[in-house]
Amino acid sequence: MTSPAARLSPVYTGLPLTVFEWMSGLARESGAINLGQGFPDAPPPAQLTQAVVRALHERSQHYPPMAGLPELRDAVAAFYAREQGLALSRDAVIVTSGATEAVAASILAVVSPGDEVLLFAPAYDAYAPMVRRAGGVPVFVPLAPPLWAYDEAQIRAAITPRTRALILNDPLNPAGTVASAADLAMLARLCIEHDLIAICDEVWEMVRFDGVPHRSLLAEPGMAERTVKIGSAGKIFGATGWKVGWMVAAPDMAAVLAKAHQFLTFTTPPMLQWAVAEGLADAALPPAILAEWATSRRALIDGLAAAGFAVAANAATWFACIDLAASGIALDDRTFSERLVREAGVASIPISALWEGDGGPTTIVRLCHCKPIAMIDDAVARLERFRDGV
């Protein structure tokens, strides 16, 4: 008799443990410094925590509206008007329990069985399983290091009559690179030409260190009616455990996205929503947090360079990548990462784990920089000793 487990969804039965949980698990087991999974060690700003506590005492703790508290939906619209010049209404915003849920709801609302969805590799490892669970077919378009540029000819070659959507992660995790104005114009042109919907994972939009305001694909001419823009309070405020995210789309599209969302998490804790609304209204808060991350980022990048590692240039995210081959290390990224956590006590992420199929880079490792300076200095010293030993 076949076991019940063998009859579960094939999308998940053969799926390995996510690389983030795998590396974090090794870090927990060994007491290693975790520069793998992306999260700050510091708590969110005190004013946000105080706002949560205040809401617990003064506001309702029962189900908020499925689409999100009106206060937060208004705050998201006002935030994007202030930061990115987008003209949005409350009806364009659907609050979700984190950005990953927003990605899932977007895919479920957009993708029908047999639809093809373009993914740019390396890709967040949740995208492809979600597309498959919706009955779609992920089609990977590779991006090549160190620039990770979008090649129009490759993208055009991947589009077929079955292509329904593309998922754009900009700024790009894990590389930390940002799509150029020419890239965005080209992607918009292709979406319009082939009638594609763009699901834009823009959670790193405020974690930029180049001083350039983020521009969304949604803002490109002709894209407002065919784009889902996804944001995350966890990334803006360093509150990853709060799991407060949102989808932004034209109101008629947002209404359908909400129908997918209602059968996933349905809603998000109201006290967290009220606190995020307060945070988004404070124009001084995101830059202050970013300044702290800029300091720890510089400590990691400078420390790695001084230790002889080749650090790839980037402009955004909580991550820095090192090229093992360019650093004179003759190990592939998976071997390096596993040995590093076990032998040196530092967890990292091998970029090949965010790549499906053959032909991907196997010598690039991602490290998280939004950590205390003392922790970063300790980790860099361990990396240097490990490097000298291999």
Side-chain angles (χ1 to χ4, degrees):
M1 179 181 294
T2 304
S3 72
R7 299 196 300 274
L8 299 179
S9 170
V11 172
Y12 300 118
T13 51
L15 200 65
L17 187 68
T18 173
V19 65
F20 306 105
E21 185 59 27
W22 173 56
M23 291 306 300
S24 290
L26 289 178
R28 288 190 295 270
E29 290 174 10
S30 62
I33 297 171
N34 192 352
L35 301 189
Q37 190 170 9
F39 60 88
D41 275 31
Q47 67 192 78
L48 291 187
T49 307
Q50 291 162 6
V52 172
V53 174
R54 189 168 62 252
L56 281 168
H57 289 288
E58 299 175 2
R59 304 268 197 165
S60 170
Q61 296 187 42
H62 298 292
Y63 292 129
M66 178 271 293
L69 289 173
E71 294 91 335
L72 179 52
R73 298 171 75 193
D74 287 342
V76 170
F79 173 78
Y80 284 135
R82 183 184 77 225
E83 299 292 339
Q84 299 177 23
L86 300 176
L88 303 171
S89 67
R90 176 192 299 176
D91 292 341
V93 181
I94 305 298
V95 177
T96 60
S97 291
T100 299
E101 195 242 313
V103 171
S106 299
I107 290 171
L108 290 172
V110 169
V111 179
S112 296
D115 286 346
E116 294 178 353
V117 179
L118 301 186
L119 307 180
F120 299 101
Y124 178 36
D125 60 358
Y127 298 156
M130 289 177 181
V131 169
R132 293 188 178 105
R133 188 64 188 87
V137 180
V139 176
F140 287 91
V141 178
L143 306 179
L147 299 180
W148 308 97
Y150 296 88
D151 184 279
E152 181 172 358
Q154 282 189 308
I155 300 171
R156 283 189 177 277
I159 296 173
T160 76
R162 295 183 299 279
T163 307
R164 173 64 172 156
L166 62 80
I167 299 179
L168 176 68
N169 179 208
D170 183 52
L172 177 65
N173 176 16
T177 50
V178 178
S180 68
D183 289 333
L184 293 175
M186 177 268 292
L187 291 169
R189 187 169 62 249
L190 291 179
C191 286
I192 294 167
E193 180 181 336
H194 295 278
D195 193 23
L196 307 182
I197 292 175
I199 298 172
C200 296
D201 180 351
E202 300 181 10
V203 297
W204 301 105
E205 59 194 344
M206 297 299 291
V207 190
R208 290 187 60 162
F209 303 95
D210 57 359
V212 178
H214 178 75
R215 180 173 174 84
S216 174
L217 187 62
L218 181 145
E220 292 295 310
M223 291 302 293
E225 301 298 320
R226 60 175 66 249
T227 301
V228 182
K229 173 181 169 65
I230 293 169
S232 166
K235 302 302 190 293
I236 295 171
F237 300 117
T240 58
W242 288 24
K243 300 300 293 180
V244 178
W246 49 79
M247 303 177 283
V248 173
D252 59 343
M253 184 184 292
V256 179
L257 297 170
K259 293 177 182 179
H261 158 68
Q262 72 181 336
F263 295 126
L264 291 172
T265 60
F266 181 71
T267 191
T268 299
M271 65 290 298
L272 300 179
Q273 293 193 51
W274 273 305
V276 170
E278 287 192 28
L280 291 175
D282 185 346
L285 189 54
I289 301 171
L290 187 68
E292 295 180 8
W293 293 335
T295 300
S296 59
R297 173 179 182 264
R298 181 48 51 196
L300 179 62
I301 290 174
D302 288 350
L304 289 171
F309 289 96
V311 184
N314 72 7
T317 74
W318 289 332
F319 311 114
C321 291
I322 57 176
D323 188 320
L324 301 177
S327 304
I329 299 172
L331 296 175
D332 65 83
D333 59 351
R334 287 178 178 268
T335 302
F336 178 89
S337 290
E338 185 156 1
R339 285 188 58 184
L340 182 68
V341 70
R342 295 186 186 281
E343 298 174 24
V346 179
S348 60
I349 295 293
I351 299 307
S352 61
L354 303 178
W355 197 286
E356 282 200 24
D358 299 326
T362 59
T363 66
I364 300 175
V365 172
R366 192 195 82 175
L367 299 164
C368 179
H369 63 67
C370 54
K371 304 291 182 180
I373 299 297
M375 180 184 294
I376 288 174
D377 290 343
D378 187 3
V380 169
R382 297 184 188 197
L383 276 154
E384 185 173 16
R385 289 194 296 271
F386 180 74
R387 179 186 184 280
D388 293 341
V390 298

